[in-house]
Amino acid sequence: VLHYLEKECLIADLVKANILFIDENGTLPTKWQGNKEDKPPILDTLTDSDQTESFVRFRVDNVDLSRDTTVRESFIRFYETQLKDIDYCTVQGIKMPVSTLSPYKIRNPGDRAKLISSNDNTNYTYRGRFADVAQALSIGYETTQKAHSALRWLVSKQGVNTGDQTVLVWGTQNEAVPNVLGDTLDIAQGYNPLAGDDWDDFEEDTERLPADTQEKIARQFNRAILGYQHQLKDNSQTAVMILDSATSGRLSVRYYQELQGSKLLANIKDWHDTFQWQLEYRSVEEPTELGKKPKIKKVVFVGAPAPADIAKAAYGEKVDAKLKQATIERLIPCITNGERFPRDLMISAVDRATNSIGLDYWEQQKTQNIACALVRGYYHRNKKVDYPMNVDETIKDRNYLFGRILACAEQIERRALIQLGNESEKRLTNAERLRTAFALHPAATTLLLDKKLNPYLNRMKNRNGMDSQRYAMMQELLHKIGTENFTNKRLGELYLVGYADQMMDFKAENAEYKAKAKKQEE
């Protein structure tokens, strides 16, 4: 290799092999000016299109020198002889060649941020605490190279980047670990059994189910958890790390936690079991024939939302990148370590669901789904109280009952508009328009909604008994609240769960009613 490089023909040979390219002046350009389809592949592998940043590996007698351990060890021994500074490595506790320079390019090839740096020899010199860098920290060259190389490899292999933030979870014996930043659907579809895992019977049972059923997704999730349990035993060790950079040159470990593999998996499963709701905003690509554009299909499933979606539910779809990263950082301990859920995040999501009149319908539904999941999970984890995903007649909580009343008022008016053939049947109902006022002043707004429902009920007498039953339910719920609780005291977050529970029940009743009507027509 040395003799070859001394000929100074490396770049010329790479150009001849159509790996690198030159312009008419014989120089290596940093930008491609030709047709897009003729763009050299080398430019797709470089972050800034600088061809001189290319990394060249050599083969000699068909031996890849980058994978030859004897060459590697020989070069390490040679390079260590060039290092003259010998001191105690504070990591390993032995004397060895040390280095004050630490590697970068940790998160990606263009990353200039360092975890360890010591260039504070002017102005605020080491904050007045040390005379030189060696007094602050002494790390062996071998130590820092191995540690940074291992971290760089792990990040490239299984790190998840959200802007400048990187979330990394790994098993110390290279075990497969779940995606902590995904929702339940991501985990259900993300596990790939290793060779030797026997899932044939399980797969056959799952394949018999329709592709878009909630039951199939639930079984796939359970299958994934069983698969991870197959690898993450009690003696397995896992680590969770969050890396972030406040500036382009400084990288910090924002969070680090070591856990038994079984404990990590139990915490992740508990998160998906506890913070679950019926989520209706996800879409997946359906498999199509080669060359055809994939079709997008909506998927409804019961599960926990992803941390990024929680941040959007709390602060909006266009949430600031830094706020989104800070929110994810707060959620990671809740997922991986079973810590208590932040109340302010749950309240922010509920407030946005309450004040969602200006949002598109899909964003309204998404925000409400996630807010309900957070309320349910918050009460289970922080207060040890469980709320179901369907109407519970035993719940006497004032907030929950008022939420059910709001659902009754909305559904009665919506069905009236449809059945009476109103051209404005797609407009917002009074209950939808007054939801914010209802949450702030429930008693006064309930009386107003009741007054606005009377014209619809009078016009629909004897047309459909279902609406009369729902109005009767509304009056019964008012009776349950009682005069002592029928006040304008602001509603708490549980009203949203009561509203969503009742709406899901109404949706199921409507579907059953349509099915019966269709059967009678046939």
Side-chain angles (χ1 to χ4, degrees):
V1 172
L2 175 62
H3 290 320
Y4 171 73
L5 292 176
E6 286 175 340
K7 296 179 181 178
E8 299 183 354
C9 62
L10 174 62
I11 293 179
D13 287 346
L14 291 172
V15 171
K16 288 180 183 178
N18 295 320
I19 296 173
L20 301 182
F21 70 98
I22 57 175
D23 57 18
E24 60 275 6
N25 298 321
T27 59
L28 298 171
T30 58
K31 290 186 179 179
W32 175 248
Q33 304 292 341
N35 296 327
K36 186 177 180 179
E37 54 271 16
D38 298 330
K39 182 180 178 181
I42 188 69
L43 294 183
D44 293 329
T45 65
L46 302 172
T47 55
D48 56 1
S49 299
D50 184 358
Q51 296 182 80
T52 61
E53 289 290 318
S54 302
F55 190 87
V56 182
R57 293 185 296 178
F58 289 88
R59 288 179 180 272
V60 177
D61 295 332
N62 206 32
V63 175
D64 186 347
L65 298 189
S66 66
R67 297 181 181 275
D68 190 310
T69 55
T70 57
V71 173
R72 186 186 309 161
E73 295 297 328
S74 175
F75 182 80
I76 290 173
R77 290 193 299 271
F78 160 74
Y79 194 84
E80 286 178 341
T81 62
Q82 311 300 303
L83 300 173
K84 304 301 181 183
D85 293 334
I86 308 295
D87 204 341
Y88 277 101
C89 171
T90 53
V91 177
Q92 298 196 55
I94 58 176
K95 269 195 171 184
M96 62 192 309
V98 296
S99 173
T100 58
L101 299 177
S102 296
Y104 51 90
K105 298 184 178 181
I106 294 171
R107 294 170 295 180
N108 55 67
D111 187 12
R112 307 290 297 184
K114 289 185 176 183
L115 274 172
I116 304 171
S117 61
S118 56
N119 58 351
D120 190 28
N121 53 9
T122 57
N123 300 323
Y124 299 102
T125 305
Y126 308 112
R127 299 290 181 181
R129 298 176 183 176
F130 308 104
D132 56 59
V133 62
Q135 294 180 359
L137 188 65
S138 177
I139 302 180
Y141 177 79
E142 175 189 351
T143 304
T144 188
Q145 288 294 329
K146 285 184 176 181
H148 283 85
S149 295
L151 180 59
R152 187 185 295 121
W153 175 76
L154 282 168
V155 168
S156 65
K157 178 175 178 282
Q158 58 202 65
V160 180
N161 297 321
T162 57
D164 294 332
Q165 181 188 70
T166 298
V167 178
L168 177 63
V169 183
W170 75 94
T172 56
Q173 299 299 319
N174 202 26
E175 302 97 332
V177 292
N179 174 16
V180 298
L181 292 186
D183 57 24
T184 302
L185 180 63
D186 291 326
I187 291 185
Q189 297 183 338
Y191 178 72
N192 294 316
L194 297 177
D197 285 355
D198 187 9
W199 299 107
D200 293 342
D201 295 339
F202 198 106
E203 190 65 35
E204 287 177 8
D205 290 344
T206 306
E207 289 301 328
R208 294 192 188 103
L209 299 170
D212 57 350
T213 62
Q214 295 182 23
E215 184 183 355
K216 177 166 184 176
I217 294 171
R219 286 179 63 80
Q220 287 177 331
F221 175 78
N222 291 332
R223 170 184 181 272
I225 294 299
L226 284 173
Y228 290 119
Q229 285 177 347
H230 207 57
Q231 300 184 55
L232 294 173
K233 309 292 186 182
D234 289 339
N235 59 349
S236 297
Q237 284 295 118
T238 60
V240 183
M241 177 187 287
I242 301 178
L243 299 168
D244 204 350
S245 56
T247 67
S248 58
R250 293 289 185 272
L251 186 64
S252 62
V253 179
R254 300 279 298 177
Y255 177 82
Y256 182 81
Q257 182 74 38
E258 292 184 358
L259 293 162
Q260 274 187 329
S262 57
K263 182 64 175 175
L264 173 68
L265 190 59
N267 289 338
I268 292 174
K269 186 177 185 303
D270 179 70
W271 165 266
H272 287 270
D273 290 341
T274 300
F275 289 81
Q276 63 175 215
W277 196 261
Q278 182 168 295
L279 306 180
E280 302 174 340
Y281 54 84
R282 283 293 308 270
S283 298
V284 296
E285 289 186 357
E286 283 189 306
T288 56
E289 296 180 13
L290 187 64
K292 288 188 176 182
K293 187 177 180 180
K295 295 180 180 179
I296 305 299
K297 180 184 66 175
K298 184 179 178 180
V299 176
V300 177
F301 63 98
V302 173
D309 287 325
I310 292 175
K312 292 177 182 178
Y315 304 114
E317 285 291 319
K318 296 182 180 179
V319 57
D320 177 75
K322 288 296 181 183
L323 180 56
K324 179 181 175 182
Q325 292 169 15
T327 303
I328 292 174
E329 185 177 322
R330 296 178 68 191
L331 290 171
I332 290 299
C334 301
I335 299 171
T336 61
N337 208 32
E339 294 186 10
R340 292 164 69 88
F341 191 84
R343 178 174 171 79
D344 63 295
L345 275 182
M346 181 266 291
I347 293 297
S348 294
V350 171
D351 287 345
R352 285 196 74 248
T354 301
N355 305 313
S356 61
I357 190 170
L359 304 178
D360 291 336
Y361 179 75
W362 67 268
E363 190 174 353
Q364 289 180 9
Q365 290 297 108
K366 178 180 179 180
T367 304
Q368 180 177 300
N369 290 169
I370 295 174
C372 287
L374 300 187
V375 173
R376 188 168 182 261
Y378 172 84
Y379 272 81
H380 176 88
R381 178 166 292 184
N382 294 34
K383 298 191 174 186
K384 309 304 179 185
V385 179
D386 290 322
Y387 287 97
M389 283 185 289
N390 45 46
V391 171
D392 188 342
E393 298 290 351
T394 64
I395 298 177
K396 308 299 182 185
D397 183 271
R398 168 183 180 269
N399 304 290
Y400 187 85
L401 294 176
F402 264 118
R404 291 182 60 189
I405 288 171
L406 180 65
C408 290
E410 179 181 326
Q411 188 65 190
I412 291 169
E413 183 177 350
R414 174 65 62 202
R415 285 184 56 78
L417 290 172
I418 294 173
Q419 291 179 23
L420 294 173
N422 195 312
E423 293 181 358
S424 302
E425 64 182 36
K426 292 185 178 180
R427 69 168 175 80
L428 292 176
T429 62
N430 289 305
E432 290 171 309
R433 289 191 296 105
L434 295 172
R435 183 187 289 190
T436 302
F438 184 86
L440 295 173
H441 312 288
T445 311
T446 298
L447 295 175
L448 179 60
L449 289 173
D450 186 70
K451 183 179 179 180
K452 289 181 177 294
L453 285 176
N454 283 329
Y456 296 108
L457 292 167
N458 290 333
R459 292 176 63 187
M460 294 181 63
K461 280 183 178 179
N462 301 322
R463 287 196 62 169
N464 189 346
M466 186 182 293
D467 297 288
S468 299
Q469 292 171 12
R470 290 176 180 177
Y471 186 71
M473 177 191 294
M474 183 175 170
Q475 301 306 311
E476 182 184 344
L477 291 170
L478 285 169
H479 179 72
K480 284 185 178 181
I481 290 176
T483 55
E484 69 279 6
N485 288 320
F486 191 72
T487 66
N488 281 322
K489 179 183 176 182
R490 180 172 181 165
L491 293 178
E493 58 276 357
L494 280 176
Y495 100 88
L496 190 65
V497 175
Y499 168 81
D501 280 351
Q502 191 64 68
M503 288 298 290
M504 281 196 286
D505 271 22
F506 285 155
K507 187 176 180 180
E509 286 179 5
N510 293 340
E512 185 179 351
Y513 175 80
K514 284 183 180 180
K516 286 182 179 179
K518 186 177 180 181
K519 190 173 182 181
Q520 288 176 356
E521 290 177 2
E522 294 174 352

